């Protein structure tokens, strides 16, 4: 998959939309409300408010709330510097770590992990040894520095200067932490524009307050698809995406007919489309991909390889866990920002009885109450009355005959599944 080469930002006073594109295709979307900004990357002076020894974790107070900490043993009441590494979703707290990392493009300072590391993109023993030596001379022995892929074409002295600036940032953070009182931000959350710039070093975001660029580049259409339950596939069929707190199921419906090779190609297309939706939607957690007719091992292997290629190009870590005994492909995506649905869609409602089942409950209530009422009247919510006047009419007539008398009335003030039994007298 091509690397991201364009970032389009559409800011408004209430929300900022960000689209990441590669060769004209929208790969990833962020929508960040001004009332609920992402906390990822922010550094805080925190206080431990609870320790959970059975989980090997703790709850820490950060500005505006609490976060979950699991990368260090702590004691209650302790103050420490933490960095938010994952936004909270629904009722789940954000996740923070004590192992702070500061980045400036491809250069990363790791204050609690000593050592110098270089990406394999740096070629030549002499250059690698010289750059490592120069970086080690800048940072103390108890601080580490990494230089990631994509920086091999930069001059060594520029990379060393980046490391020096990051070290100064870390020293400034520690000074403010020593003088401050938790909870307090030491480096507050950055804007969506700054976060996008940091996510793809070297690609300058195009900021357009009119929103025209966002629409013209296809991001508006991609956003609509990323919020839809059903997504059409190019050659027919569709994806059906069902997400709950525990994970996501993506069901693949393919068009009827077609030879074996046709189904194989259709499944490959569907698998790639599903991986695109994972990234567009910012899905997190376990994902089950249900592809039809996937019993052939060679075909499964081909699908697995395609999915792994897409997973490797994702901005988040995606593990391809393999095929379940039930024939689904299982994945785990470790996204750090909130999924689009968490900010833009209503939370799934609690399950509720169908109109048919609610009408049955009303009739059962009638049977309980009617024995003490000479001339019973069943008062129903309009939806229930409508069902009993249609598909349920034979049942209603049967109850009339059994009781000898029964009238039905509606009350719009009742809840959708509400009813009461009263006397006509």
């Amino acid at each position: 998959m091509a690397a991201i080469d364009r970032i389009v930002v559409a800011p408004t006073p209430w929300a900022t939309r960000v689209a990441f594109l590669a060769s004209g295709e929208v790969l990833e979307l962020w929508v960040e409300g001004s009332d609920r900004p992402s906390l990822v990357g922010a550094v805080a002076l925190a206080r431990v408010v609870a320790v959970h020894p059975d989980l090997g974790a703790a709850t820490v107070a950060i500005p505006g709330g609490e976060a979950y900490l699991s990368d260090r043993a702590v004691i209650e009441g302790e103050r420490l510097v933490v960095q938010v590494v994952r936004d909270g979703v629904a009722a789940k707290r954000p996740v923070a770590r004590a192992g702070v990392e500061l980045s400036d493009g491809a250069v990363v300072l790791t204050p609690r992990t000593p050592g110098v590391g270089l990406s394999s993109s740096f070629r030549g023993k002499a250059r690698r040894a010289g750059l490592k030596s120069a970086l080690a001379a800048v940072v103390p022995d108890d601080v580490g520095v990494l230089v990631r892929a994509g920086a091999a074409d930069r001059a060594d002295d520029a990379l060393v200067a980046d490391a020096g600036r990051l070290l100064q940032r870390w020293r400034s953070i520690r000074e403010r932490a020593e003088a401050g009182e938790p909870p307090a931000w030491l480096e507050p959350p950055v804007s969506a524009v700054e976060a996008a710039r940091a996510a793809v070093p070297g690609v300058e975001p195009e900021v357009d307050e009119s929103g025209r660029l966002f629409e013209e580049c296809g991001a508006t259409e991609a956003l609509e698809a990323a919020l839809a339950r059903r997504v059409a596939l190019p050659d027919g069929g569709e994806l059906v995406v069902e997400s709950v707190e525990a994970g996501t199921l993506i069901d693949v419906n393919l068009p009827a007919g077609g030879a074996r090779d046709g189904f194989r190609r259709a499944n490959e297309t569907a698998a790639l489309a599903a991986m695109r939706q994972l990234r567009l939607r910012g899905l997190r957690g376990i994902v089950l991909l249900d592809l039809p007719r996937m019993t052939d091992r060679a075909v499964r292997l081909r699908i697995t390889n395609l999915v792994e290629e897409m997973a490797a190009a994702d901005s988040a870590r995606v593990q391809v866990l393999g095929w379940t005994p039930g024939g689904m492909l299982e994945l785990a995506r470790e996204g750090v920002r909130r999924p689009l649905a968490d900010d833009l869609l209503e939370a799934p409602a609690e399950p509720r009885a169908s109109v048919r089942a609610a009408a049955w409950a009303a009739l059962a209530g009638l049977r309980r109450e009617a024995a003490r009422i000479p001339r019973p009247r069943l008062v129903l919510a309009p939806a229930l009355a409508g069902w009993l006047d249609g598909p349920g009419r034979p049942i209603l007539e049967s109850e009339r005959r059994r009781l000898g008398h029964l009238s039905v009335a509606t009350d719009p003030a009742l809840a959708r599944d509400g009813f009461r039994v009263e006397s006509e007298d």
Side-chain angles (χ1 to χ4, degrees):
M1 180 181 290
I4 290 171
D5 54 21
R6 188 182 182 193
I7 303 173
V8 176
V9 182
T12 63
W14 52 90
T16 299
R17 297 174 296 168
V18 184
F20 298 84
L21 297 91
S23 301
E25 180 184 15
V26 180
L27 298 183
E28 191 166 339
L29 293 164
W30 296 353
V31 178
E32 185 173 303
S34 57
D35 60 335
R36 196 185 179 202
S38 172
L39 303 181
V40 173
V43 180
L45 176 60
R47 187 179 298 282
V48 179
V49 295
V51 178
H52 316 294
D54 293 344
L55 301 175
T59 300
V60 297
I62 61 173
E66 294 178 339
Y68 186 77
L69 181 79
S70 61
D71 73 328
R72 177 181 156 184
V74 293
I75 59 174
E76 192 169 330
E78 181 180 354
R79 48 184 282 159
L80 71 164
V81 176
V82 303
Q83 184 174 43
V84 179
V85 294
R86 197 176 190 189
D87 282 324
V89 174
K92 296 179 181 177
R93 298 184 180 97
V95 176
R97 68 182 176 204
V100 175
E101 292 185 359
L102 304 179
S103 63
D104 184 359
V107 181
V108 182
L109 195 77
T110 58
R112 300 187 188 278
T113 308
V116 176
L118 301 180
S119 163
S120 59
S121 60
F122 288 84
R123 305 290 184 182
K125 291 184 178 180
R127 187 190 179 191
R128 291 180 66 87
L131 181 54
K132 279 190 173 184
S133 177
L135 289 169
V138 171
V139 298
D141 293 340
D142 60 345
V143 174
V145 63
L146 301 172
V147 185
R148 292 173 173 161
D153 57 347
R154 295 188 62 204
D156 290 2
D157 57 353
L159 299 174
V160 172
D162 288 346
R165 284 191 293 272
L166 291 173
L167 181 62
Q168 289 303 315
R169 273 178 62 189
W170 174 239
R171 288 172 174 165
S172 176
I173 286 171
R174 294 194 63 179
E175 289 173 3
R176 292 196 298 275
E178 291 172 3
E181 193 61 33
W185 289 123
L186 302 173
E187 282 199 349
V190 299
S191 69
V193 177
E194 288 301 318
R197 184 178 287 119
V200 190
V203 179
E204 184 61 24
E206 303 169 42
V207 181
D208 174 29
E209 295 183 2
S210 73
R212 284 192 296 270
L213 284 181
F214 194 84
E215 184 170 353
E216 290 169 0
C217 75
T220 300
E221 183 179 351
L223 181 58
E224 290 176 357
L227 296 175
R229 179 172 176 266
R230 297 178 181 273
V231 180
L233 295 173
D235 300 323
E238 64 180 5
L239 304 177
V240 182
V241 184
E242 301 279 7
S243 291
V244 295
E245 284 193 46
T248 299
L249 171 64
I250 302 180
D251 187 36
V252 178
N253 295 324
L254 296 182
R260 179 178 176 181
D261 283 348
F263 268 101
R264 176 184 57 79
R265 289 192 297 271
N267 271 326
E268 291 174 1
T269 299
L272 295 177
M275 292 300 293
R276 180 171 182 249
Q277 287 299 314
L278 256 66
R279 188 170 179 182
L280 280 176
R281 294 167 187 251
L283 295 177
R284 286 166 36 166
I286 296 297
V287 178
L288 293 172
L289 179 57
D290 189 9
L291 292 157
R293 298 193 184 183
M294 291 299 296
T295 56
D296 188 296
R297 290 187 178 182
V299 175
R300 280 190 174 188
L301 180 60
R302 168 68 177 165
I303 293 290
T304 302
N305 291 338
L306 286 173
V307 167
E308 286 177 342
E309 289 177 16
M310 290 282 284
D314 199 320
S315 59
R317 182 168 181 254
V318 181
Q319 295 176 274
V320 182
L321 303 177
W323 296 89
T324 70
M328 297 185 187
L329 184 58
E330 184 177 6
L331 309 99
R333 188 174 190 272
E334 300 177 13
V336 298
R337 297 176 70 90
R338 285 187 299 275
L340 291 177
D342 195 62
D343 276 316
L344 300 179
L345 297 179
E346 289 284 349
E350 292 296 324
R352 63 180 185 180
S354 67
V355 171
R356 173 166 154 268
W360 291 350
L363 291 170
L366 171 68
R367 288 205 165 196
R368 290 193 303 270
E369 300 292 329
R372 60 183 180 81
I373 301 174
R375 294 174 59 81
R377 175 165 53 208
L378 182 59
V379 183
L380 300 163
L384 275 61
W387 187 85
L388 284 174
D389 193 41
R393 177 170 285 278
I395 302 172
L396 182 63
E397 293 301 329
S398 174
E399 288 301 286
R400 278 202 174 104
R401 289 192 296 271
R402 184 182 67 83
L403 294 170
H405 175 85
L406 174 62
S407 62
V408 176
T410 60
D411 182 355
L414 288 172
R416 172 184 174 274
D417 55 356
F419 71 93
R420 65 178 181 271
V421 180
E422 59 188 27
S423 174
E424 282 191 1
D425 299 333

